[in-house]
Amino acid sequence: MDVLDLTRLQFAVVTIYHYFFVPMSISLAATAAGLQVAWLRTGRERYRDLTRFVGKLLIVTFAVGVVTGLVQEFQFGMGWSAFARFYGDVFGPTLAIEGMLAFFLEATFLALWYFGWDRLPRALHAATIVIVAVGTVLSAFIILAANSFMQNPVAYSLDPVTGRARLDDFGALLFNEVNLAAFPHTLAGAAMAGGSLLLGIGVWRQRHGGEPAHRTLARLGAWLTVAGGALTALTGDHLGKVITEVQPMKMAAAEALYATTTGAPFSLFAVGSPGGGEPSFSIEIPRLLSILAAGSPGAEVQGIDDLQAQYAAQYGPGSYIPMIPVAFWSFRLMIGIGMLAAALAAFYLWSTRKGRPGHPLLPRVLPLVPILPAAANSFGWIFTETARQPWLAFGISRVADGISPGLTRAEVAASLIGFAVVYGILAAVWLRLIRHLSRQPLAPRAAPVEAAQPPAPVY
Amino acid sequence: MITAWFSLVVLCWVLFFVLEGFDFGVGMLGPVLGRDDHERGAAVRTIGPFWDGNEVWLVAAVGVTFAAFPAWYAALLSGLYLPMAALLLLLAARGVALEFRGKGDGARWRRRCDTALALSSAGIVALWGAVLGVLTHGLALGADGEVTGRGPARSLAPLATWPALAGAVLALFAAVLLGATFLALRTTGPVHARARRASVRLGAGGTLALGAAGMLGLSRPVLAAAVLCLGVTLVARHGRELVAFGATAVGVAGAVVAVFTVHGDVVLRSTLDPAWSLTMTGAAATAPALRLLSVAGAVVLPGVLVYQAFSYWVFRRRVASERVPS
């Protein structure tokens, strides 16, 4: 592998790893906030206990998200300094505003919430976790705006003197049509990630002598997963139509559609080599791709070959075709795995309705269900980012032009090994802690009698 | 406007080094000053509600540097590639050690987290100190604004210099002194007594060392630091803990400002040719980007300062080791 491929691999590894924890944080924060508000309004202790429990999961998950998010902020300068220079005016303010506006809120108020149970009035304490939840959503919106610029550059102009991108309108950058479609899709995926974690834990604990509240937890998680699944499908359909318009090559790659076709079919499975021409065998649903891409069964969908010719004429000679097998399979795996998670959660809800014990196989299968949305989310990002190639920012700068000029393989290999080892340890410790926290009783033990305190000094 | 943004970048770095400085210091001192599980728990508890909010200033400092001076951000982070990667790994280890400490089971688990916390804190402080040292000296910037050379030696060589070494040692000392005065301020009982003694001794030792160094090199900033250390020692002896902590914090802030302004309007000096140095104007983002940032900063930052101050007020009570549940 040359230095460019290694640097890309490092970016992919640290980004995908970071993204295991981000969607969980978003939905755990919202769930904890919802539970605490429910406790405040109903006074039911079950909600208070679940709030504390979900909050602990959130703290542990958020911590991994924060330390791996810091890497994201640094690596544009470390590995991609040419890109940082070129794109700094657009990306820099977006990142800085995300930090100042959203991340400050999350970090400060999460600590206030966690350490403030007996220090803050009840309503104010509930407000702190609601603020955390709002902060996580705000973070997602702003960061996705930065990513959406790379998919569909808007609101910029090229500075004739420096040759760098210049930000013209921050509002237009935030409300990029790609962001407006990607943001709800991401949130729906996040709901599945957190919901399936709660479902998995709830079912696992019920199997090992849990408490009645664990059933509440499992059903809450299942509802979140099912609702998230339905919303992911709806928002994904919309996102696909927007992408077909702004990045037709990406959708053509997703289907490995070489020739422009009217009434294009959607293939569920293909044997042969997508990427080396037409597949030799494929199971297809007629006209579905036309419906997905353009909303009508007879619509024309542009093929890879035509788009390649069109881009070569527009941007000069070169290949504008992304890695077709990666795009083809990541797109299918994203949809298939995500829908499997939603289906399992729906089956659990139906099987345990009205206090029924549920299907005997479920307690064995469901504890593994959190893996599915995490995998589906990752495949979603792999699809989004690899099917944009060779572009960094679509139509303006290529990946090969963004890398730091002095970087060598040895340096990137060293840092990549370092990240892989540390991230591996983090994952093991995170899993161990989630298991440990899940095993603890939900209701707090009776408070220990506190030793006599000297009067608190004021300073 | 460029100068204003440069000041804001420096302010973010100052807030990071002062605020995280004390929690790095507490991280290093915790296992030394806390003799048992409860006492170590109390030490960690003094920074528990704050460290994440403090670290956000690093996110802000890097983010604002990227936003306002993209060329500076690009040159510094790619030029110091390997040290920055090491910093990120240590920051990751430290963050999870802090957050996971109270969530695991048993004293052995907590002991391990404390060790990881102390070692990673020391490593981070030494590396950042070295980076500050490198900033006073400059990097081998070429005409294109990138550090010249290739291979791992390129990004490691700047750290094997006297300014970097001095920066690392001074930063470790400053963080430990900040941590000691902060612990003295925030605890009661035996940890408090030990932290007070530690701050007096560290202050006295610092006075002697810096005084001698200042006289030998006749460097005025070092002499000023010695005088400050003497002051810290005296007020700490008299039990004026807030004043002692405040004086240390002011000293650290002064040192950081001095590092960032040592070359006037040059933000990153080129050791190869002065003409290739990166100036404030040369590294700055365009006017529209800076205007946008100004609006966002004016709206958001006062709010941040208010709610961070609120969180310090909520957790203003001292932490006694008996109170921490085992």
Side-chain angles (χ1 to χ4, degrees):
Chain A
M1 254 195 240
D2 63 7
V3 63
L4 177 64
D5 285 337
L6 264 180
T7 315
R8 284 177 63 187
L9 179 66
Q10 172 165 291
F11 196 96
V13 167
V14 297
T15 308
I16 288 172
Y17 187 87
H18 176 60
Y19 205 71
F20 284 144
F21 300 94
V22 171
M24 274 188 229
S25 295
I26 293 174
S27 63
L28 290 176
T31 313
L35 282 166
Q36 186 155 0
V37 170
W39 170 52
L40 210 59
R41 302 202 53 166
T42 64
R44 289 176 65 181
E45 286 190 354
R46 178 175 297 194
Y47 292 143
R48 181 201 58 200
D49 297 345
L50 287 177
T51 307
R52 278 181 195 268
F53 174 66
V54 174
K56 278 183 199 160
L57 298 182
L58 170 64
I59 295 261
V60 170
T61 308
F62 188 76
V64 185
V66 170
V67 299
T68 53
L70 204 55
V71 176
Q72 305 291 72
E73 198 191 27
F74 277 68
Q75 68 171 336
F76 297 107
M78 288 165 59
W80 303 92
S81 67
F83 173 64
R85 244 177 262 274
F86 169 77
Y87 187 42
D89 266 28
V90 178
F91 204 98
T94 315
L95 213 62
I97 288 170
E98 190 269 340
M100 292 193 291
L101 190 64
F103 185 56
F104 264 101
L105 277 183
E106 296 167 55
T108 313
F109 281 90
L110 188 58
L112 263 171
W113 177 80
Y114 185 71
F115 291 95
W117 276 94
D118 50 358
R119 297 275 166 92
L120 295 170
R122 276 175 55 167
L124 188 59
H125 185 247
T128 57
I129 189 78
V130 173
I131 291 174
V132 173
V134 171
T136 59
V137 171
L138 210 55
S139 267
F141 185 73
I142 303 175
I143 291 297
L144 284 171
N147 181 268
S148 298
F149 178 89
M150 296 167 74
Q151 316 293 345
N152 179 37
V154 292
Y156 80 102
S157 50
L158 285 179
D159 192 306
V161 184
T162 59
R164 300 191 325 220
R166 196 170 54 185
L167 181 59
D168 292 333
D169 182 352
F170 188 61
L173 179 93
L174 282 182
F175 296 102
N176 188 341
E177 59 174 324
V178 172
N179 190 26
L180 292 183
F183 172 64
H185 188 57
T186 310
L187 285 192
M192 294 184 80
S196 63
L197 181 69
L198 301 182
L199 169 62
I201 291 174
V203 170
W204 176 61
R205 287 292 291 139
Q206 272 179 284
R207 188 178 158 205
H208 294 101
E211 301 158 46
H214 280 123
R215 185 183 160 86
T216 316
L217 187 72
R219 288 188 61 89
L220 175 68
W223 276 114
L224 267 173
T225 312
V226 171
L231 287 172
T232 325
L234 282 174
T235 52
D237 179 59
H238 175 60
L239 179 59
K241 289 180 174 60
V242 173
I243 290 296
T244 308
E245 226 170 87
V246 301
Q247 287 176 305
M249 182 63 100
K250 186 180 268 182
M251 289 314 278
E255 179 54 25
L257 183 77
Y258 282 84
T260 301
T261 315
T262 42
F266 181 85
S267 84
L268 290 177
F269 185 81
V271 179
S273 53
E278 297 297 325
S280 52
F281 168 77
S282 129
I283 303 171
E284 290 177 342
I285 302 178
R287 295 181 183 274
L288 181 61
L289 181 63
S290 285
I291 298 176
L292 287 178
S296 129
E300 180 186 272
V301 180
Q302 284 181 289
I304 294 164
D305 294 338
D306 293 329
L307 287 166
Q308 164 66 25
Q310 185 191 319
Y311 289 162
Q314 196 175 346
Y315 302 112
S319 168
Y320 297 90
I321 304 176
M323 284 164 76
I324 303 296
V326 175
F328 182 88
W329 286 113
S330 58
F331 189 68
R332 265 145 202 81
L333 287 167
M334 166 183 80
I335 296 174
I337 294 175
M339 289 304 110
L340 175 64
L344 283 171
F347 178 62
Y348 169 81
L349 283 175
W350 179 78
S351 166
T352 60
R353 69 195 184 278
K354 292 180 193 150
R356 279 168 224 226
H359 193 277
L361 265 180
L362 285 174
R364 288 173 195 285
V365 175
L366 288 181
L368 295 175
V369 82
I371 297 169
L372 300 178
N377 282 330
S378 297
F379 282 120
W381 275 114
I382 291 171
F383 170 67
T384 303
E385 297 299 287
T386 57
R388 186 190 58 219
Q389 305 299 325
W391 299 107
L392 258 180
F394 189 81
I396 5 178
S397 72
R398 289 176 217 208
V399 173
D401 305 327
I403 194 167
S404 301
L407 220 51
T408 54
R409 281 170 57 183
E411 286 167 285
V412 186
S415 61
L416 180 56
I417 292 169
F419 285 123
V421 170
V422 170
Y423 279 13
I425 297 171
L426 284 188
V429 178
W430 180 82
L431 266 175
R432 201 180 133 175
L433 277 181
I434 294 288
R435 265 172 71 104
H436 175 73
L437 290 174
S438 305
R439 279 195 180 134
Q440 287 175 342
L442 283 172
R445 280 161 283 190
V449 182
E450 284 186 355
Q453 282 297 300
V458 179
Y459 46 84
Chain B
M1 185 141 78
I2 289 174
T3 319
W5 272 99
F6 179 71
S7 314
L8 196 83
V9 167
V10 176
L11 176 72
C12 287
W13 283 109
V14 165
L15 284 168
F16 165 65
F17 282 110
V18 170
L19 295 175
E20 275 261 280
F22 80 69
D23 71 53
F24 288 138
V26 171
M28 284 186 267
L29 281 173
V32 183
L33 297 184
R35 297 284 153 83
D36 60 27
D37 195 35
H38 287 284
E39 292 180 3
R40 284 191 293 273
V44 174
R45 180 106 185 193
T46 61
I47 55 169
F50 308 123
W51 79 270
D52 212 1
N54 293 343
E55 193 150 302
V56 163
W57 287 106
L58 174 62
V59 176
V62 176
V64 172
T65 308
F66 189 3
F69 303 97
W72 188 17
Y73 163 89
L76 195 63
L77 293 190
S78 66
L80 294 173
Y81 184 87
L82 285 179
M84 287 297 164
L87 265 172
L88 290 169
L89 295 174
L90 286 168
L91 281 164
R94 179 176 191 267
V96 296
L98 262 166
E99 286 296 351
F100 289 2
R101 183 187 189 278
K103 316 275 182 316
D105 204 11
R108 221 176 93 218
W109 168 263
R110 287 193 288 275
R111 182 93 229 202
R112 275 189 203 163
C113 285
D114 286 338
T115 310
L117 174 62
L119 292 178
S120 55
S121 299
I124 295 163
V125 169
L127 273 170
W128 273 126
V131 170
L132 287 181
V134 168
L135 280 180
T136 63
H137 182 66
L139 283 167
L141 288 184
D144 60 349
E146 289 279 351
V147 174
T148 52
R150 289 184 75 77
R154 180 190 63 134
S155 59
L156 288 177
L159 258 59
T161 55
W162 286 112
L165 191 67
V169 172
L170 282 174
L172 279 170
F173 172 75
V176 172
L177 188 59
L178 265 176
T181 51
F182 183 76
L183 272 178
L185 177 66
R186 294 274 301 127
T187 52
T188 62
V191 179
H192 172 249
R194 281 182 220 125
R196 252 182 80 174
R197 244 175 290 145
S199 34
V200 173
R201 282 183 196 156
L202 284 166
T207 311
L208 287 179
L210 289 170
M215 305 250 219
L216 284 175
L218 282 177
S219 145
R220 255 176 258 159
V222 178
L223 276 176
V227 172
L228 196 82
C229 272
L230 182 66
V232 171
T233 318
L234 293 177
V235 290
R237 266 182 78 89
H238 287 93
R240 303 292 304 274
E241 285 145 4
L242 187 59
V243 182
F245 175 68
T248 317
V250 169
V252 173
V256 176
V257 172
V259 167
F260 276 95
T261 52
V262 66
H263 298 301
D265 73 335
V266 168
V267 291
L268 195 57
R269 186 169 157 261
S270 169
T271 51
L272 301 178
D273 181 345
W276 293 338
S277 297
L278 216 51
T279 60
M280 242 183 248
T281 338
T286 53
L290 289 178
R291 261 199 304 277
L292 162 70
L293 269 176
S294 304
V295 174
V299 174
V300 174
L301 280 180
V304 171
L305 291 172
V306 167
Y307 65 67
Q308 285 219 334
F310 172 70
S311 108
Y312 278 91
W313 184 78
V314 168
F315 302 110
R316 69 194 175 285
R317 251 194 287 173
R318 287 184 190 241
V319 178
S321 47
E322 292 83 2
R323 271 182 75 90
V324 179
S326 54

